[in-house]
Amino acid sequence: MPGCPCPGCGMAGPRLLFLTALALELLGRAGGSQPALRSRGTATACRLDNKESESWGALLSGERLDTWICSLLGSLVVGLSGVFPLLVIPLEMGTMLRSEAGAWRLKQLLSFALGGLLGNVFLHLLPEAWAYTCSASPGGEGQSLQQQQQLGLWVIAGILTFLALEKMFLDSKEEGTSQVSGYLNLLANTIDNFTHGLAVAASFLVSKKIGLLTTMAILLHEIPHEVGDFAILLRAGFDRWSAAKLQLSTALGGLLGAGFAICTQSPKGVEETAAWVLPFTSGGFLYIALVNVLPDLLEEEDPWRSLQQLLLLCAGIVVMVLFSLFVD
């Protein structure tokens, strides 16, 4: 370039023009690709919205609506079994508890409740968890050692969870601590009803006939169990009507379980959930039976009454055995 003192100035001008043109071209391509990216993002979002709407449409279709109604009604009927003890336990039982005869009558009910809790854990909850785990195993080859250990760990987790809850309530309340065991039993019963809702809804997903049979089987199994739960609530200081209302409130767990089973729309999802919920619930019931109920029975010093308590405990177990055989 004439008049320029720099020796390389003649080459700098074309290079600068070339770099400027290249930068403008890259900016133009980037600007042109933004609408394409936006259109791709919009298309992806539309596909996701369509899939979500299709899934909700499948859940609320006419066929699924019948399953929803039958499952929720079946779970509600099972939950309403909590009022059955009102027909068995006398009206004056609440006021009789302050007398010596009433206290002995309550210990008799607690003996039966202890047998029912133990029978429920070892004859119903744990075997059912075992069956769910075996069915979830690849190829149906049965449980591995790791799966068996996981079942045991979930039982321990249930025991430790209920221990921590009781310690927390006892530390935070100076009065009314006798009701803690009642609330813990309600929590365990709610989780148990959740598993019943899972079973009822999963059965109705197969057919109405299997769903009705499953509902009747669970209902027959729950009747003696509800009597035991009612006795535990009376021991905790609740009157008959308060105990019945609290028992009915646990039916919400069954409704939630039924809704969860239908929303998963897959037996595998139900099996995976039940495989840990059932042993966890077993740990909670074991804690209630051995920590909150059994110590009251050990206080009895009369040999004849102790023998009666043992016989009632065995009667509770036998009832659960008979119902388990009938259900199978």
Side-chain angles (χ1 to χ4, degrees):
M1 183 178 292
C4 182
C6 300
C9 185
M11 297 297 295
R15 288 178 181 174
L16 182 60
L17 290 174
F18 174 74
L19 292 174
T20 303
L22 181 61
L24 290 174
E25 184 178 358
L26 292 175
L27 288 174
R29 289 182 179 179
S33 64
Q34 287 181 359
L37 291 174
R38 289 174 183 170
S39 62
R40 290 178 184 175
T42 304
T44 304
C46 290
R47 285 196 297 270
L48 291 176
D49 290 339
N50 290 334
K51 289 182 179 179
E52 185 176 356
S53 61
E54 289 176 1
S55 63
W56 279 107
L59 282 176
L60 300 177
S61 62
E63 183 179 351
R64 291 291 182 187
L65 188 59
D66 291 340
T67 306
W68 273 102
I69 295 175
C70 294
S71 300
L72 294 178
L73 285 177
S75 302
L76 186 61
V77 169
V78 173
L80 290 177
S81 62
V83 302
F84 178 79
L86 289 176
L87 307 176
V88 179
I89 298 177
L91 291 173
E92 65 275 7
M93 187 65 188
T95 57
M96 284 176 56
L97 293 179
R98 299 178 182 177
S99 63
E100 183 178 355
W104 166 237
R105 182 70 178 275
L106 179 60
K107 284 189 176 182
Q108 289 178 323
L109 287 174
L110 289 175
S111 301
F112 181 83
L114 179 60
L117 284 174
L118 295 177
N120 187 41
V121 168
F122 293 106
L123 301 174
H124 175 64
L125 296 179
L126 289 180
E128 192 169 347
W130 189 285
Y132 275 122
T133 307
C134 289
S135 61
S137 300
E141 298 178 354
Q143 289 180 325
S144 64
L145 178 62
Q146 183 180 3
Q147 290 173 324
Q148 295 173 3
Q149 291 173 342
Q150 287 178 353
L151 282 180
L153 288 175
W154 277 117
V155 175
I156 296 174
I159 294 174
L160 294 180
T161 299
F162 277 72
L163 173 62
L165 288 173
E166 184 165 15
K167 293 288 289 183
M168 182 176 61
F169 282 118
L170 288 176
D171 291 340
S172 60
K173 292 183 179 181
E174 295 181 359
E175 297 180 357
T177 56
S178 61
Q179 294 186 344
V180 172
S181 61
Y183 288 119
L184 289 177
N185 186 70
L186 288 172
L187 175 60
N189 203 16
T190 302
I191 301 175
D192 187 36
N193 283 337
F194 179 84
T195 63
H196 292 157
L198 286 177
V200 169
S203 300
F204 276 111
L205 284 172
V206 178
S207 69
K208 290 184 179 180
K209 179 180 179 181
I210 296 178
L212 289 173
L213 291 175
T214 303
T215 302
M216 291 301 299
I218 295 176
L219 185 61
L220 291 174
H221 158 266
E222 275 297 288
I223 288 176
H225 180 62
E226 294 293 344
V227 174
D229 289 337
F230 201 83
I232 293 175
L233 291 177
L234 292 178
R235 170 194 173 275
F238 295 97
D239 58 72
R240 292 176 72 257
W241 293 110
S242 298
K245 292 177 183 178
L246 291 172
Q247 286 282 80
L248 288 177
S249 67
T250 62
L252 179 62
L255 299 178
L256 293 176
F260 177 83
I262 298 176
C263 289
T264 57
Q265 300 186 37
S266 170
K268 183 178 179 182
V270 175
E271 291 172 358
E272 291 177 352
T273 303
W276 69 267
V277 171
L278 290 173
F280 181 85
T281 309
S282 300
F285 280 134
L286 282 176
Y287 179 85
I288 293 168
L290 302 179
V291 176
N292 293 322
V293 180
L294 185 59
D296 286 352
L297 303 183
L298 293 176
E299 295 176 356
E300 184 60 53
E301 298 179 355
D302 188 349
W304 171 240
R305 289 189 171 184
S306 298
L307 179 60
Q308 288 180 340
Q309 290 176 350
L310 182 60
L311 292 176
L312 287 170
L313 189 152
C314 294
I317 297 175
V318 169
V319 168
M320 300 305 293
V321 170
L322 294 177
F323 276 107
S324 298
L325 294 176
F326 178 78
V327 169
D328 293 338

